[in-house]
Amino acid sequence: AYKRFSELLPKEERENACSVRIPKSLILTLPELRANPFQHRICHVFSTSESKDGSMSFEDFLDMLSVFSDSATTVVKSHYAFLLFDFNDDGALDRKDLEQLVNCLTGQGEESRLSSAEMEQLIQNILEESDIDRDGTINPSEFQHVVSRSPDFARCGGCPA
């Protein structure tokens, strides 16, 4: 992990890799993130930067690798998946978050975009299945409940990386 992290830095900075932050632009050059539709959210969620710029310390990078590893538990993976999907960072998945999630998963192209009616029906179905307290949002425990009933979540590694 350290070798991978330090290789993102210019040669002259590699010996100080433990004490520097790597800019988001360099993190996004990793092959695993380059084509990931959640690449910006991944940097946002795992970065501890006070300026919220998506840069990562070595510890941030290790956290990211740990969550996406095969040995991470479903509980840990689902916790971070929830954070990735909570686009407005308000602690709940609302209709806007779900719409953004669907758009990320289906692509932003005109040919793959759902119609308004299709999007509304899909969001309604998701909420009917997941929103146990019927407040119009999915909270972390409701998300965890849905994930616990989904064998595909654990099998595919959980998070969308």
Side-chain angles (χ1 to χ4, degrees):
Y2 179 79
K3 182 179 187 288
R4 194 106 192 263
F5 183 80
S6 63
E7 285 174 348
L8 292 171
L9 291 167
K11 281 188 170 52
E12 62 275 5
E13 292 182 37
R14 288 184 184 167
E15 64 189 47
N16 298 324
C18 278
S19 61
V20 300
R21 298 191 70 80
I22 294 187
K24 176 180 168 181
S25 60
L26 293 178
I27 297 292
L28 294 178
T29 65
L30 290 167
E32 298 86 349
L33 293 180
R34 201 174 298 139
N36 189 308
F38 297 96
Q39 60 181 217
H40 296 287
R41 286 297 300 165
I42 290 169
C43 289
H44 174 79
V45 166
F46 287 98
S47 173
T48 57
S49 168
E50 290 181 17
S51 65
K52 304 289 184 208
D53 62 2
S55 65
M56 287 192 193
S57 67
F58 180 58
E59 290 79 16
D60 297 339
F61 189 74
L62 281 178
D63 288 345
M64 179 182 69
L65 293 181
S66 296
V67 169
F68 293 131
S69 78
D70 291 338
S71 59
T73 66
T74 301
V75 171
V76 168
K77 288 181 181 289
S78 68
H79 169 76
Y80 280 94
F82 182 88
L83 295 175
L84 289 173
F85 301 158
D86 183 13
F87 290 92
N88 60 10
D89 297 320
D90 67 354
L93 304 182
D94 59 19
R95 288 178 171 275
K96 277 277 195 221
D97 291 321
L98 295 173
E99 185 174 336
Q100 267 190 275
L101 173 60
V102 170
N103 285 334
C104 278
L105 293 172
T106 59
Q108 299 294 333
E110 213 44 52
E111 69 285 345
S112 61
R113 183 168 288 145
L114 297 180
S115 71
S116 294
E118 291 168 327
M119 180 67 78
E120 182 54 38
Q121 184 61 57
L122 181 55
I123 290 172
Q124 193 57 43
N125 292 348
I126 292 169
L127 289 172
E128 282 176 18
E129 182 72 23
S130 309
D131 182 17
I132 297 166
D133 63 9
R134 300 291 176 230
D135 68 349
T137 66
I138 301 167
N139 65 41
S141 61
E142 291 168 331
F143 186 80
Q144 181 64 45
H145 178 72
V146 169
V147 166
S148 71
R149 298 181 328 192
S150 174
D152 288 341
F153 186 86
R155 189 169 53 247
C156 74
C159 292

